[in-house]
Amino acid sequence: MRGAVPDVASDVVPGAAPAAASGAGAAVPGLADRLAGDRAVVNLADIPAEPPAQPAPPAARELFGADCDTEIEGSRVTAYCHNGYPETDLIRLHVECDRWWDLDGDGAAVAVGPAGRVELAGRCWKEVRSAWVTHERP
């Protein structure tokens, strides 16, 4: 039957006559037998003798940068920072105001030493669009 699709579960082509067994060893050819011509050919000369070079391991996690929590309440912004690392961190609060006529603010850099805490504050005249803290090495 032209255009018939085999039923994979039962390995039977719909509308085809069942195959007659011609002896004890005869069986209906399975799906794997019908697809035998679709096998990949690999040229062993194309396989490298050595495994490919491994990529460099990722760099160790950098132990730097104070952990800061930023709170926005109306037009005021407060950032609470704690430096839990052995290097001093220069942090700076940036405030972006929502109104086009309201000036955005970039605070002065404040040094936070190891195990130090600091509170930074900023504000807009009206609403605050966003606020963030940047970190620098001294």
Side-chain angles (χ1 to χ4, degrees):
M1 175 176 190
R2 180 172 263 191
V5 178
D7 180 12
V8 176
S10 65
D11 235 8
V12 175
V13 176
S22 61
V28 176
L31 181 62
D33 295 333
R34 287 191 296 244
L35 298 177
D38 294 340
R39 298 188 188 223
V41 176
V42 177
N43 185 355
L44 296 178
D46 293 340
I47 299 175
E50 295 287 324
Q54 296 294 323
R61 185 171 171 212
E62 187 176 9
L63 299 177
F64 175 78
D67 180 35
C68 298
D69 294 322
T70 306
E71 293 180 359
I72 299 174
E73 292 181 19
S75 64
R76 299 184 183 276
V77 177
T78 307
Y80 304 96
C81 299
H82 172 256
N83 186 7
Y85 297 112
E87 289 186 53
T88 299
D89 185 7
L90 292 176
I91 59 173
R92 199 181 293 256
L93 177 64
H94 305 274
V95 179
E96 183 178 350
C97 301
D98 197 32
R99 308 288 175 123
W100 66 268
W101 47 263
D102 204 348
L103 297 176
D104 298 339
D106 295 319
V110 176
V112 183
R117 294 181 183 273
V118 70
E119 182 178 319
L120 303 174
R123 67 178 301 248
C124 294
W125 285 103
K126 289 283 189 174
E127 300 85 11
V128 174
R129 178 175 294 174
S130 63
W132 65 95
V133 176
T134 57
H135 306 266
E136 293 178 51
R137 292 186 189 274

